[in-house]
Amino acid sequence: MNKTIKITAVIIAVIILIAFVFFIWTYIKIKNGDLVKWDNKWYTKEELKKAFPPQYIEVPAKNTPEQVYTIFRQALLDNDIEKALEQIRKENREEYRKAFQDKEKFDKWVKSLPKALTKENEDGNFAYYDIDYGTEYKNTVSFLKNSEGYWQINNI
């Protein structure tokens, strides 16, 4: 019986040692950035790159945010909703299409759109402009340049 207790104690000690070494190894991997937690799942660097490829590609611009806004505003004034929606990122178009269906709010909003924007910040593929609706509040229009180099409205 004494021998059984010793063997059990050694086995438990080895298991505890293995667990301790594993936790230290994992801690070191996390600190070095070799293991990353994303959306409650652990990834190695390679798995993370494969699952979520880089999204940032800077390409030369083929238009300007000001041109996009001018086309957008004019299309709305001409009641050409589809042309206006083409100036908005594809991912956001349906949201704006639904918003444009409320004719009373839409007409009031279109009439309040100023002719020009004031540039606040441009960083790579992102640009932010101030749109002055004549209120005391600051309103921002954000633009995003797509992978082909065309600026599009992200949010207005």
Side-chain angles (χ1 to χ4, degrees), residues 63-79:
N63 62 354
T64 66
E66 293 90 347
Q67 291 169 333
V68 172
Y69 175 75
T70 301
I71 293 168
F72 174 77
R73 181 178 176 274
Q74 191 58 51
L76 290 177
L77 290 172
D78 296 341
N79 207 25

Side-chain angles (χ1 to χ4, degrees), residues 120-133:
E120 288 184 4
N121 185 22
E122 185 177 323
D123 185 22
N125 292 336
F126 302 92
Y128 303 93
Y129 285 71
D130 182 43
I131 186 167
D132 186 7
Y133 288 116

Side-chain angles (χ1 to χ4, degrees), residues 11-94:
I11 291 173
I12 290 173
V14 168
I15 290 172
I16 290 172
L17 181 63
I18 290 171
F20 180 73
V21 169
F22 175 75
F23 285 118
I24 294 296
W25 176 80
T26 304
Y27 177 78
I28 291 169
K29 288 283 204 183
I30 292 169
K31 284 295 180 186
N32 290 339
D34 295 330
L35 279 177
V36 179
K37 189 173 187 179
W38 184 265
D39 202 23
N40 291 327
K41 187 176 176 186
W42 288 98
Y43 295 93
T44 64
K45 283 182 178 180
E46 295 77 27
E47 291 171 338
L48 192 62
K49 283 180 184 177
K50 193 178 232 182
F52 306 100
Q55 300 294 312
Y56 187 82
I57 302 169
E58 187 152 347
V59 295
K62 296 181 180 170
N63 62 354
T64 66
E66 293 90 347
Q67 291 169 333
V68 172
Y69 175 75
T70 301
I71 293 168
F72 174 77
R73 181 178 176 274
Q74 191 58 51
L76 290 177
L77 290 172
D78 296 341
N79 207 25
D80 188 349
I81 303 298
E82 290 306 312
K83 186 172 184 178
L85 289 171
E86 288 173 4
Q87 309 310 308
I88 297 174
R89 288 186 60 218
K90 192 176 266 186
E91 296 85 3
N92 301 340
R93 286 181 189 164
E94 285 309 310

Side-chain angles (χ1 to χ4, degrees), residues 112 114 131-137 139:
S112 71
I131 186 167
D132 186 7
Y133 288 116
T135 65
E136 62 188 79
Y137 303 106
N139 299 282

